[in-house]
Structure formats: structure tokens, C-alpha cells
Amino acid sequence: DQQVKQNSPSLSVQEGRISILNCDYTNSMFDYFLWYKKYPAEGPTFLISISSIKDKNEDGRFTVFLNKSAKHLSLHIVPSQPGDSAVYFCAASAWEGSQGNLIFGKGTKLSVKP
Amino acid sequence: KAGVTQTPRYLIKTRGQQVTLSCSPISGHRSVSWYQQTPGQGLQFLFEYFSETQRNKGNFPGRFSGRQFSNSRSEMNVSTLELGDSALYLCASSLGPSGMYNEQFFGPGTRLTVL
């Protein structure tokens, strides 16, 4: 059972417009969320994160929104650039006692067209 | 500053064998995490080490183990290899005590093929 779901395998956006990547989760005990992007043949690169006690975090063109009641997370990229074309993963931290686990969604492939 | 390095980059093994993968974190980083990436399951967390102690662990069988040395370098071992262990194994390091809450820097990965 997937605890972190990225229901859109792909997304295509025009350069300069907004990209919105979505992530849903089922475990209300997740306390931290992170977004990573991955280019082909490279390891993932950290983008932005948010604590469960916040509902928004912004870093330059990237903003993450957290809606705890809906168990929904979204990443906004404004304006989108062709270099943003990559696979985006959301991840959530979960704890069982003192042991932590980081659970990833399966990714959304973003294509930004010039 | 050099990034995270992983050796070897490619490896072919047969079922039943065991394998050891190595990871050198960014200088000064003391937290090292390991991940398995497959087309079917995506990116899955294996375990995390900080100051030579395993701090966090994902849902993998005991065949997957790891360790961290005093210089923060880490190794991951998989015993009794199965075909399903074929994957890209990624290592990541972070400056903070845990990649659960801090930016992690990933290496290029080791591509393991089990025949």
C-alpha cells in the first residue's frame, strides 16, 4: 500500500507558466516532507522541504504547500523553465518509536516546453 | 568540494552471491543514507547512519545491512542475492544529523545486476 502517492506520472507545461506537482499521503503521522528532482543518469537533488507544523514554504521559484486536513502536498514552480524538466519526487518522514523511515512517491515527470 | 562518490558504478553478480557497495560522503558530512531505486517500486529508503550508528531503517529484509566507519565512509552489504535485488543503489549524505529533515546530496549510484 502506497503511503505517498504522486498520481500524475507526467506533466507538460509551457515555459513561463506555473507548474503544479501534487502529492497525497495516507499516514497522518508524517512530520516532515521533502521534494527532490532527478535528471536522467544523475542522483536526486534536494529542492525544498516543509515541516508538518507549517502550511507553506517558499524558496525562490519553488513553493511547497501543505494541506494537512486533506493530506495533500503540492509543489509550485513559477515561472517554469526548460531546465526544470526532470522527474520530481515527494518524500515524507515517518517514525515508529525511535526508528525513522523516509517514504518516496513514485515521481512525476515534468516537461517544460520552450 | 567533491561530491558523494560511490564505487563501483556497475556490478554484475549471480543469485546467491553477496555484494558490498561503498560510499564516500561529502567531506564534513556525518550522515549517510542508502536507497534502492527500481522501475517498479521507485525510490525506497534502506537505512541511515550517523556517527557509525544506524539511526533509521526502512522496510527491507535482514539480507540488507550496512555500516559506517569513523571517517563517515559507509558500506552496504547484500547477502544471498536475489534477482529482485537488481537495482540502482543510491547513497546520500547530509550535513545535519538526519536526511529525514535535512538536505541530502546524492551520489551517482551503483547499478547492480543479478543474473
Side-chain angles (χ1 to χ4, degrees):
Chain A
D1 181 36
Q2 279 185 268
Q3 296 188 59
V4 177
K5 294 182 185 179
Q6 294 178 258
N7 291 317
S8 299
S10 62
L11 175 68
S12 184
V13 170
Q14 206 66 32
E15 180 179 6
R17 307 295 290 266
I18 184 172
S19 294
I20 299 177
L21 297 113
N22 295 304
C23 182
D24 296 301
Y25 60 95
T26 58
N27 188 344
S28 58
M29 298 304 291
F30 286 146
D31 67 345
Y32 209 80
F33 302 87
L34 308 98
W35 283 94
Y36 283 84
K37 74 175 182 182
K38 187 180 184 302
Y39 295 117
E42 293 183 13
T45 304
F46 172 81
L47 270 176
I48 193 169
S49 61
I50 188 167
S51 164
S52 61
I53 63 173
K54 295 188 175 182
D55 53 21
K56 177 182 174 182
N57 189 25
E58 193 171 352
D59 184 2
R61 297 186 297 114
F62 302 92
T63 303
V64 57
F65 295 93
L66 177 60
N67 182 334
K68 288 186 287 293
S69 60
K71 296 191 179 71
H72 180 79
L73 191 69
S74 63
L75 174 68
H76 292 212
I77 307 173
V78 183
S80 300
Q81 300 172 355
D84 295 329
S85 297
V87 178
Y88 289 77
F89 295 94
C90 67
S93 300
W95 295 87
E96 282 185 32
S98 62
Q99 283 281 305
N101 193 356
L102 191 59
I103 299 171
F104 284 78
K106 295 201 172 179
T108 296
K109 184 175 182 179
L110 173 66
S111 299
V112 180
K113 301 192 183 306
Chain B
K1 190 182 268 192
V4 177
T5 57
Q6 292 187 245
T7 56
R9 293 293 310 279
Y10 301 91
L11 204 49
I12 299 175
K13 291 285 188 178
T14 56
R15 277 183 300 173
Q17 286 186 310
Q18 68 95 26
V19 66
T20 299
L21 311 181
S22 181
C23 171
S24 293
I26 291 172
S27 177
H29 287 195
R30 293 167 62 193
S31 173
V32 174
S33 297
W34 287 90
Y35 298 85
Q36 181 195 68
Q37 185 174 27
T38 59
Q41 297 300 317
L43 199 56
Q44 293 184 281
F45 170 71
L46 279 155
F47 30 66
E48 178 176 56
Y49 286 85
F50 179 77
S51 292
E52 302 177 66
T53 302
Q54 186 182 91
R55 292 290 184 91
N56 299 303
K57 190 175 185 304
N59 301 321
F60 277 81
R63 297 187 298 109
F64 292 82
S65 63
R67 59 178 176 168
Q68 187 181 33
F69 302 95
S70 59
N71 61 359
S72 294
R73 191 177 70 83
S74 177
E75 287 182 347
M76 189 194 90
N77 184 275
V78 188
S79 63
T80 318
L81 283 165
E82 301 176 358
L83 295 178
D85 297 333
S86 294
L88 180 68
Y89 289 88
L90 292 160
C91 168
S93 72
S94 63
L95 186 58
S98 175
M100 303 281 156
Y101 302 103
N102 298 285
E103 176 179 8
Q104 292 183 88
F105 296 84
F106 283 78
T110 294
R111 173 72 62 185
L112 172 65
T113 302
V114 182
L115 302 176

